[in-house]
């Protein structure tokens, strides 16, 4: 099969199609399509009666289309996606062998539709995430262990263009010290991915963090999150950084802020926050998992590296 063109209908054809949809005899076959069966107009209505129908006489015939079949792709609560296979006027109807081939195509079309829907959802999530990251005034990038930048916010893209940036295209390969930090954040030679920091020019601090570490992913395929902190970067609103970088909930952010300000045992923390001890422990376990830390000292060190105690503190 050779595809010469794929895309939207030309305007005049689309307008005609919309106008004729209400009289399309295939609407009567919706239950058949919903059951996953192929609709062939000649078999469903009879060849002689089709030629008297306005849909065929006034719409399809001028386009040179004699009859068609509809192949259901997948069911949905709101609409029924189908594939239309059309045959030129004057040619024979669809053969049993051709219908078998259409049925063989069905599962592949369903997979394609499922992938398309997943892609649309992921694209929407990506746009939401990018909007959130762009609200941060400091550079934030996702990098490979070798220092290749996969994505980043607007401030990060601007930082990459500054002279002497260690992650710019001109800096490949990246400095050995930074390369080691990126590899450690991706889990190379460590039981778990670890964070780290590096002093840069202009009093900037480069912080590396594990990004979306999943079990079974080789360190070479993992990504590291790189954040740039320093006096020249405007401090984000309270809670923004913890929410954007780690996906912490407001309750979890509140607990982190409390732990940063008060060196207390968990029962005292629970009493101060007016929560049960089990709730505090559950929130802390979730924080450890999201920030890739194991204990409170690791969490406090990580937050300190990001200067969150000053820039993200509660008012």
């Amino acid at each position: 099969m050779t595809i010469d063109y794929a895309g939207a209908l030309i305007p005049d054809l689309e307008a005609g199609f919309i106008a004729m949809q209400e009289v399309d005899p295939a609407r009567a076959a919706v239950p058949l399509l919903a059951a996953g069966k192929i609709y062939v107009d000649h078999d469903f209505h009879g060849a002689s009666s089709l030629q008297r129908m306005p849909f065929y006489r006034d719409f399809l015939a001028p386009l040179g289309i004699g009859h068609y079949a509809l192949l259901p792709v997948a069911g949905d609560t709101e609409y029924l996606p189908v594939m239309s296979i059309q045959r030129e006027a004057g040619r024979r109807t669809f053969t049993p062998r051709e219908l078998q081939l259409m049925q063989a195509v069905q599962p592949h079309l369903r997979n394609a539709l499922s992938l398309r829907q997943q892609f649309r959802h992921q694209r929407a999530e990506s746009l939401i995430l990018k909007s959130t990251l762009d609200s941060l005034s400091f550079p934030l990038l996702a990098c490979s262990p070798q220092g290749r930048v996969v994505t980043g916010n607007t401030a990060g893209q601007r930082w990459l263009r500054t002279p002497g940036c260690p992650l710019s295209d001109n800096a490949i390969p990246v400095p050995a010290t930074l390369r080691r930090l990126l590899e450690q954040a991706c889990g190379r030679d460590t039981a778990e991915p670890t964070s780290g920091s590096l002093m840069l020019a202009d009093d900037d601090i480069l912080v590396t963090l594990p990004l979306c570490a999943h079990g079974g992913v080789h360190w070479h395929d993992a990504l590291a999150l790189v954040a740039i902190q320093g006096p020249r970067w405007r401090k984000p609103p309270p809670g923004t950084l913890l929410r954007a970088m780690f996906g912490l909930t407001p309750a979890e952010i509140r607990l982190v802020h409390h732990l940063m300000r008060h060196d207390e045992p968990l029962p005292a923390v629970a009493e101060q926050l007016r929560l049960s001890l089990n709730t505090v422990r559950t929130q802390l376990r979730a924080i450890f998992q999201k920030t890739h830390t194991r204990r409170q000292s690791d969490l406090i060190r990580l937050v300190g590296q990001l200067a969150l105690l000053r820039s993200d503190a509660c008012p």
Side-chain angles (χ1 to χ4, degrees), residues 110-184:
R110 287 173 181 158
N111 288 339
L113 180 64
S114 175
L115 290 172
R116 179 176 180 269
Q117 291 173 333
Q118 291 178 39
F119 175 77
R120 290 178 62 189
H121 294 162
Q122 290 176 355
R123 185 173 183 272
E125 293 174 359
S126 176
L127 290 174
I128 294 172
L129 177 59
K130 188 176 188 312
S131 176
T132 302
L133 296 181
D134 282 344
S135 67
L136 301 175
S137 60
F138 61 91
L140 196 62
L141 305 164
C143 300
S144 72
Q146 298 78 28
R148 182 176 60 86
V149 177
V150 176
T151 187
N153 62 357
T154 300
Q157 298 299 328
R158 190 168 59 249
W159 177 71
L160 289 173
R161 295 191 294 270
T162 58
C165 176
L167 286 175
S168 67
D169 292 338
N170 297 330
I172 298 298
V174 299
T177 304
L178 176 55
R179 174 75 176 262
R180 283 195 298 273
L181 291 177
L182 292 172
E183 292 175 349
Q184 289 171 4

Side-chain angles (χ1 to χ4, degrees), residues 200-204 230-232:
L200 302 176
D202 301 322
D203 295 326
D204 283 345
R232 60 175 170 152

